[in-house]
Amino acid sequence: SSAGKLNWSLEGISHNQIGAQTGRITIANDVILLPLSTGVLTAVDRFTGVKKWDYAFNLSRSGYSQNAFGAFNGEPKVYQNKIYFGSLNGQFNAFTIGGDVIWQVPIGLRGSPLVISDSLFFVSDTEDLTRLSRRDGSLIWSKKLGKGTNLTKHFSPILIGSKIWVANSSGMLISFDPLTGNLIDKIESSSGFSGSPIYFSEKIILHTTQGNLLAFR
């Protein structure tokens, strides 16, 4: 509460030996969505902490290994009473607020999805910028962001103006046409980026791995 009193608590799953990454908490109406490192998305009542439902992301893309522990590293996106989320292992789902699966596709998710009108844009587990139909999950287009053999990490896409922008840990900032997926801009920095860009005061701002802020007009 606002007075610092504990209203409720929910015990998670401990990891005694390996620190596993997990997704970020999101509120959807009267439930809180908890992406657990074990690959389970759990919804609890935001006022009482009582579990409402959970869903195990148990599909995996065969022949593709991850270099991180944990199933999620982004947050679910809630839009028009629908939940959109995926695992690093090769599964992307749409849910109702009540936890019913609307559709499911065998494509993994890195970071968080971006919703624009009737489409979903996200970086896949195979480092592709992907656009899906929000209605049925059908693939509209997919563009390779980098070589599959390197360790470059691409961060969640954002919309600035009429372009989809993606930054990566090697210091590349690139933009795409949302309609076609065609490459528009390609900006290189000598420093790697540590997260997605933000847009403020007509500038694209990024934080580098060396602790500096870079701004582009």
Side-chain angles (χ1 to χ4, degrees):
S1 68
S2 59
K5 180 181 177 181
L6 178 65
N7 291 325
W8 55 265
S9 65
L10 183 69
E11 184 176 354
I13 300 173
S14 62
H15 297 272
N16 296 325
Q17 296 178 337
I18 298 175
Q21 67 182 4
T22 186
R24 294 184 291 275
I25 294 172
T26 302
I27 295 177
N29 294 352
D30 289 337
V31 299
I32 297 176
L33 303 173
L34 307 171
L36 305 179
S37 58
T38 52
V40 176
L41 179 63
T42 296
V44 301
D45 187 285
R46 62 184 296 188
F47 302 106
T48 65
V50 174
K51 182 188 294 186
K52 293 293 187 179
W53 54 265
D54 55 29
Y55 181 86
F57 284 79
N58 52 17
L59 294 183
S60 61
R61 188 190 291 264
S62 61
Y64 182 74
S65 61
Q66 299 290 333
N67 60 353
F69 296 99
F72 311 114
N73 66 351
E75 63 184 22
K77 182 66 66 175
V78 181
Y79 185 75
Q80 294 184 348
N81 287 323
K82 303 290 190 304
I83 301 166
Y84 304 97
F85 199 43
S87 73
L88 284 165
N89 300 323
Q91 184 179 355
F92 194 102
N93 282 31
F95 303 92
T96 66
I97 296 296
D100 296 322
V101 176
I102 301 172
W103 51 257
Q104 174 180 293
V105 293
I107 303 174
L109 167 67
R110 286 187 177 273
S112 306
L114 169 69
V115 180
I116 303 176
S117 186
D118 291 329
S119 295
L120 295 157
F121 300 83
F122 59 95
V123 176
S124 75
D125 58 332
T126 53
E127 302 295 343
D128 299 314
L129 180 61
T130 303
R131 179 186 176 188
L132 299 183
S133 166
R134 193 167 61 84
R135 180 178 57 84
D136 58 10
S138 58
L139 179 66
I140 299 174
W141 53 254
S142 180
K143 301 292 181 178
K144 179 62 67 176
L145 292 171
K147 298 178 181 179
T149 56
N150 63 27
L151 298 179
T152 298
K153 177 181 179 181
H154 293 86
F155 302 104
S156 304
I158 70 167
L159 176 68
I160 301 176
S162 59
K163 303 174 185 177
I164 302 291
W165 292 85
V166 178
N168 70 28
S169 58
S170 295
M172 190 78 69
L173 177 64
I174 46 183
S175 72
F176 298 86
D177 184 323
L179 293 177
T180 64
N182 292 336
L183 178 68
I184 300 175
D185 302 289
K186 193 173 186 179
I187 303 170
E188 295 187 52
S189 168
S190 57
S191 302
F193 299 127
S194 58
S196 299
I198 62 171
Y199 183 69
F200 178 76
S201 187
E202 299 184 353
K203 298 180 183 68
I204 300 174
I205 303 173
L206 297 110
H207 187 259
T208 73
T209 53
Q210 297 179 351
N212 299 316
L213 287 177
L214 294 183
F216 302 91
R217 288 192 180 276

